[in-house]
């Protein structure tokens, strides 16, 4: 598929400062092959690429249809194959020079000229004063880019580059116009020219004086002029923004239909294997994962899928899903969407009754044994609650049984945490949250409090009652089919927020509730069950401004630091994967299967 906006279905992802990208730009321009481009930022992040599921960080990349090619060597080989010479796309490669082309490519890509040139970038270049750029390139090369370390490397880098200039000068010594001895510019020139052109533009001229390399300088200028002319006379390149590029790629078809996995390849991989792939020279910290589609001596092709997609496919494979079953699922999900609104969130309910909300919470917010466990958020938290002071009442429901709640917030060592933001919410005495009343006039049964200097907070509320989750919609229908009731045991929700600590979303459940062990959303945990007491002495009643005999809940909440949770999340991931006999590695804190 090709459209007017994306000529030849080609999109080049690059930025103008990249000498590697120039190889491709020159090639396309000199061969008169029209294409589109999508300009990328000079440093990470590159959200367009991330949205395409690409981790590879090097520039340029080139898409043809739905296939995305990494690395200029592969891109050029692919373009040579896909665009054989025609009168409109004149040949650039000279058959008699194939060997020289290969040698020159090896020389400029693999002999380290680019990295030595990058090492000798002059300190007065604007990017070299940009901390963000320097940090970004440290990630790219895995080496230090501090001024001090760079200065140390200059002499060796310059000597290396000078040696490379000498080799070019020798190749051009017989006075030839083009490096392959051709009449016109050829692919051999493109393979040779790009790092030297970059160096010539960038480094002070006295580093490589013209009189020492006269033929090289003349050839560089000749190339530049020829490339410029080709650019002027050819079609203007179409520029796409990221979204347009993504849209085009996702709607395109695969360009390369000749996929096969070479069984003789020493890596012994099979089609469909989950594979990680990364460059070994630079940008090696950014690894892609995908299913192996093609493996030949020159090419590895992966089908990049997000894990959700590959697991969804596995679900279908494993359960031998029928067309009817899948259609019923889609119609069910459609109904879940249709009934949802600003005040009704059927998807959260669905996630809750499937036990998924609780599972996700326990994976993402694991809690060490001595801290308060989390539980489901549920669909009824809002951001409308008013700020309340300690001792205030959060409920205006006169039918509710008065309740005093007195709590502390501490860290795992028992130190009080002051200034923690505490969100509290509960239903009215009929089991409905404020947002469920069509005639609701504002927040009720909810408040935002702040723990005081001793880590205490307290408020007046009403005794929670059991309530059914909304069950007049598709989720209710599902529960019925499963012979499950829709009730949640009596509870009150709490959410804690304090910088440096892992956010805690939890709830307290009343002991001896009839639904204690059959909660429709699996939220109850032993450690969160509380016994309701009574305010029994006068002093206490006075202190909190309640009558003696008022119901009382007390609880000591314990928060854990972000860092402790991060460590625990990691060790639990390792444990979970190892117990399934799977080897994993961590990439950006996410466990991914390790293949070697
Ligand atoms: N071997 C790769 C090298 C590409 C490369 O190193 N490109 C540089 C820009 S010239 C790069 O990616 N720099 C880091 C970045 O832009 O993220 C190729 O031929 O495409
Ligand atoms: Fe609730």
């Amino acid at each position: 598929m090709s459209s007017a906006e994306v000529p030849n279905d080609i999109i080049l992802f690059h930025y103008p400062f990249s000498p590697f990208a120039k190889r491709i730009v020159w090639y396309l321009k000199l061969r008169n092959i029209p294409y589109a481009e999508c300009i990328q930022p000079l440093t990470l992040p590159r959200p367009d690429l991330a949205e395409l599921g690409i981790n590879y960080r090097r520039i340029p990349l080139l898409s043809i249809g739905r296939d995305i090619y990494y690395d200029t060597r592969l891109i050029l080989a692919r373009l040579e194959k896909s665009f054989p010479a025609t009168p409109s796309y004149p040949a650039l490669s000279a058959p008699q020079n194939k060997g020289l082309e290969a040698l020159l490519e090896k020389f400029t890509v693999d002999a380290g000229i680019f990295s030595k040139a990058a090492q000798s970038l002059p300190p007065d270049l604007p990017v070299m004063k940009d901390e963000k750029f320097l940090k970004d390139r440290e990630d790219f090369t895995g080496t230090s880019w501090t001024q001090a370390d760079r200065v140390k490397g200059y002499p060796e880098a310059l000597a290396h580059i000078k040696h490379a200039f000498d080799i070019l000068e020798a190749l051009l010594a017989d006075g030839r116009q083009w490096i392959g001895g051709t009449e016109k510019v050829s692919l051999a020139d493109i393979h040779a020219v790009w790092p030297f052109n970059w160096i010539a533009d960038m480094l002070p001229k006295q580093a490589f004086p013209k009189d020492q390399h006269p033929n090289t300088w003349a050839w560089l200028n000749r190339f530049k002029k020829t490339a410029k002319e080709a650019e002027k006379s050819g079609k203007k390149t179409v520029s796409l923004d990221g979204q347009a590029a993504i849209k085009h790629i996702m709607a395109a078809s695969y360009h390369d239909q000749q996929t096969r996995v070479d069984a003789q390849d020493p890596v012994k991989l099979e089609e469909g294997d989950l594979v990680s792939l990364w460059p070994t020279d630079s940008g090696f910290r950014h690894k892609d994962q995908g299913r192996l589609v093609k493996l030949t001596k020159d090419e590895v092709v992966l089908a990049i899928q997000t894990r959700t997609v590959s697991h969804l496919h596995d679900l279908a494979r494993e359960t031998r899903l029928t067309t009817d079953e899948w259609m019923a699922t889609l119609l069910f999900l459609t109904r879940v969407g249709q009934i949802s609104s600003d005040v009704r969130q059927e998807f959260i309910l669905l996630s809750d009754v499937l036990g998924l909300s609780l599972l996700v919470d326990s994976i993402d917010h694991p809690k060490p044994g001595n801290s308060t466990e989390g539980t489901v958020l549920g669909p009824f938290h809002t951001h409308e609650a008013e700020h309340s002071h300690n001792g205030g009442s959060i409920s205006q429901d006169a039918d509710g049984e008065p309740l005093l709640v007195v709590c502390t917030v501490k860290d795992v060592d028992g130190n009080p945490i002051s200034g923690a933001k505490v969100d509290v919410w509960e239903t009215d005495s009929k089991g409905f949250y404020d947002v469920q009343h069509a005639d609701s006039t504002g927040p009720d049964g909810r408040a935002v409090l702040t723990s005081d200097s001793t880590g205490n907070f307290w408020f007046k509320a009403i005794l929670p009652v059991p309530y059914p989750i909304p069950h007049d919609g598709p989720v209710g229908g599902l529960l019925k089919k499963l012979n499950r009731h829709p009730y949640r045991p009596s509870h009150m929700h709490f959410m804690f927020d304090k910088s440096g600590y892992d956010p805690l979303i939890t709830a307290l459940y009343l002991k001896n509730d009839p639904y204690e062990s059959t909660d429709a959303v699996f939220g109850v945990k032993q450690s969160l069950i509380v016994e309701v007491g009574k305010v029994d002495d006068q002093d206490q009643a006075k202190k909190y401004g309640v009558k003696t005999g008022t119901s009382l809940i007390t609880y000591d909440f314990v928060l854990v630091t972000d860092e402790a949770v991060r460590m625990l999340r990691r060790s639990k991931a390792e444990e979970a994967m190892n117990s399934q006999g799977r080897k994993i590695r961590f990439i950006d804190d996410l466990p991914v299967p390790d293949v070697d």
Side-chain angles (χ1 to χ4, degrees):
M1 198 194 78
S2 162
S3 62
E5 310 87 69
V6 183
N8 288 315
D9 245 2
I10 298 178
I11 305 174
L12 179 65
F13 294 85
H14 73 123
Y15 50 78
F17 184 63
S18 161
F20 274 98
K22 283 265 168 58
R23 292 183 84 192
I24 310 301
V25 172
W26 286 328
Y27 176 89
L28 291 164
K29 294 289 182 196
L30 287 169
R31 287 204 60 200
N32 208 15
I33 301 175
Y35 64 98
E37 67 182 0
C38 178
I39 298 297
Q40 293 300 300
L42 186 63
T43 52
L44 299 188
R46 298 193 174 122
D48 306 337
L49 301 179
E51 200 171 324
L52 285 164
I54 295 171
N55 290 329
Y56 178 73
R57 71 154 291 169
R58 299 199 301 186
I59 294 292
L61 299 89
L62 180 119
S63 64
I64 311 184
R66 205 174 167 149
D67 291 339
I68 299 171
Y69 293 89
Y70 297 174
D71 201 282
T72 54
R73 288 163 286 192
L74 185 64
I75 293 171
L76 289 176
R78 170 50 57 185
L79 289 171
E80 278 288 283
K81 210 177 205 165
S82 299
F83 294 86
T86 61
S88 29
Y89 304 144
L92 203 56
S93 175
Q96 75 278 16
N97 280 343
K98 282 260 176 282
L100 178 69
E101 285 170 8
L103 282 173
L104 284 170
E105 180 170 69
K106 196 97 193 132
F107 170 55
T108 52
V109 176
D110 288 340
I113 307 172
F114 170 74
S115 69
K116 293 289 189 251
Q119 259 170 45
S120 35
L121 287 178
D124 54 355
L125 220 59
V127 284
M128 298 308 286
K129 295 182 189 132
D130 178 351
E131 268 309 308
K132 189 168 165 230
F133 177 79
L134 298 175
K135 276 268 154 293
D136 182 84
R137 282 344 192 229
E138 286 190 342
D139 164 86
F140 179 61
T141 58
T143 57
S144 158
W145 278 56
T146 62
Q147 177 68 15
D149 286 333
R150 296 172 56 77
V151 167
K152 271 189 246 155
Y154 281 158
E156 193 204 320
L158 291 179
H160 190 104
I161 299 170
K162 171 156 188 316
H163 193 195
F165 262 81
D166 291 345
I167 293 175
L168 273 192
E169 191 62 20
L171 273 168
L172 293 159
D174 59 4
R176 58 180 69 195
Q177 296 284 292
W178 301 107
I179 209 133
T182 46
E183 219 167 276
K184 286 202 215 149
V185 67
S186 85
L187 188 56
D189 295 289
I190 289 188
H191 287 331
V193 79
W194 61 275
F196 297 97
N197 178 71
W198 197 50
I199 292 161
D201 281 352
M202 206 82 66
L203 295 186
K205 297 278 176 276
Q206 65 271 25
F208 305 102
K210 285 206 166 104
D211 54 352
Q212 284 183 25
H213 304 101
N215 293 312
T216 307
W217 280 97
W219 166 75
L220 278 174
N221 289 332
R222 196 174 305 125
F223 182 87
K224 220 178 227 163
K225 197 164 152 250
T226 310
K228 218 173 233 150
E229 275 161 14
E231 194 158 341
K232 264 205 202 124
S233 65
K235 282 219 177 75
K236 218 179 146 326
T237 302
V238 181
S239 196
L240 299 179
D241 67 22
Q243 283 309 312
I246 293 167
K247 206 168 147 208
H248 181 84
I249 292 172
M250 297 314 284
S253 37
Y254 293 108
H255 167 75
D256 183 4
Q257 304 286 346
Q258 293 171 320
T259 56
R260 71 187 175 87
V261 171
D262 180 1
Q264 305 308 313
D265 195 286
V267 297
K268 290 273 170 279
L269 287 168
E270 286 174 19
E271 192 185 331
D273 281 353
L274 198 57
V275 170
S276 301
L277 191 72
W278 65 94
T280 49
D281 47 358
S282 51
F284 39 79
R285 292 190 180 144
H286 302 263
K287 307 184 174 184
D288 282 296
Q289 282 86 44
R291 303 256 175 214
L292 188 66
V293 169
K294 177 177 181 179
L295 179 67
T296 67
K297 70 178 178 31
D298 308 308
E299 256 183 287
V300 185
V301 180
L302 297 189
I304 298 181
Q305 279 179 344
T306 60
R307 308 280 294 148
T308 318
V309 175
S310 56
H311 281 273
L312 264 178
H313 288 191
D314 282 346
L315 172 81
R317 280 192 195 100
E318 234 172 86
T319 60
R320 312 317 298 164
L321 199 61
T322 66
T323 317
D324 287 349
E325 284 163 345
W326 185 233
M327 189 43 90
T329 311
L330 293 177
L331 292 177
F332 173 79
L333 291 173
T334 307
R335 279 183 281 129
V336 171
Q338 281 165 342
I339 203 172
S340 293
S341 70
D342 286 353
V343 292
R344 171 137 189 190
Q345 233 303 0
E346 194 81 357
F347 277 108
I348 298 187
L349 280 185
L350 178 60
S351 153
D352 290 353
V353 303
L354 293 176
L356 199 56
S357 303
L358 201 77
L359 177 62
V360 172
D361 180 70
S362 64
I363 291 169
D364 199 31
H365 301 280
K367 299 290 192 290
N370 53 353
S371 64
T372 305
E373 291 188 276
T375 183
V376 286
L377 170 70
F380 296 115
H381 174 254
T382 72
H383 295 282
E384 264 130 43
E386 274 153 21
H387 282 261
S388 186
H389 57 91
N390 272 323
S393 175
I394 70 161
S395 173
Q396 291 164 31
D397 184 353
D399 296 337
E401 186 185 326
L403 169 74
L404 174 69
V405 184
V406 180
C407 306
T408 64
V409 203
K410 293 187 174 151
D411 68 16
V412 289
D413 299 319
N415 304 308
I417 299 177
S418 66
K421 182 180 160 216
V422 192
D423 239 295
V424 207
W425 66 107
E426 65 166 344
T427 66
D428 62 17
S429 56
K430 311 276 178 316
F432 292 106
Y433 288 94
D434 51 3
V435 291
Q436 291 177 284
H437 291 290
D439 57 353
S440 155
T441 51
D444 190 21
R446 58 182 83 235
V448 180
L449 298 134
T450 310
S451 61
D452 70 9
S453 59
T454 50
N456 292 322
F457 65 93
W458 66 99
F459 57 93
K460 288 165 204 146
I462 59 173
L463 200 65
V465 294
Y467 67 82
I469 58 167
H471 56 291
D472 55 342
V475 171
L478 178 69
L479 288 177
K480 210 173 196 158
K481 284 228 159 82
L482 295 170
N483 266 330
R484 283 169 53 187
H485 69 70
Y487 281 87
R488 297 221 56 206
S490 316
H491 64 273
M492 181 178 281
H493 296 269
F494 292 83
M495 181 154 86
F496 295 82
D497 186 27
K498 168 83 189 178
S499 98
Y501 292 87
D502 191 54
L504 172 65
I505 296 171
T506 191
L508 296 180
Y509 296 87
L510 306 195
K511 196 169 172 176
N512 296 330
D513 188 280
Y515 303 108
E516 194 179 294
S517 58
T518 58
D519 182 4
V521 305
F522 309 101
V524 184
K525 291 180 177 171
Q526 272 309 315
S527 67
L528 301 174
I529 298 177
V530 291
E531 208 157 341
V532 179
K534 295 273 177 228
V535 178
D536 43 20
D537 81 82
Q538 285 288 348
D539 288 350
Q540 201 186 16
K542 210 162 169 189
K543 179 174 169 196
Y544 293 111
V546 294
K547 293 193 189 122
T548 46
T550 304
S551 293
L552 172 70
I553 289 179
T554 59
Y555 200 82
D556 297 322
F557 291 94
V558 179
L559 305 189
V560 235
T561 60
D562 285 336
E563 193 46 30
V565 168
R566 203 179 83 86
M567 302 299 287
L568 193 60
R569 200 184 288 132
R570 233 184 131 108
S571 64
K572 290 213 170 216
E574 237 149 4
E575 218 175 275
M577 297 289 165
N578 290 341
S579 73
Q580 290 180 36
R582 284 156 70 180
K583 258 176 85 181
I584 52 154
R585 249 172 329 100
F586 285 89
I587 296 180
D588 294 337
D589 263 356
L590 270 184
V592 295
D594 203 353
V595 289
D596 39 36

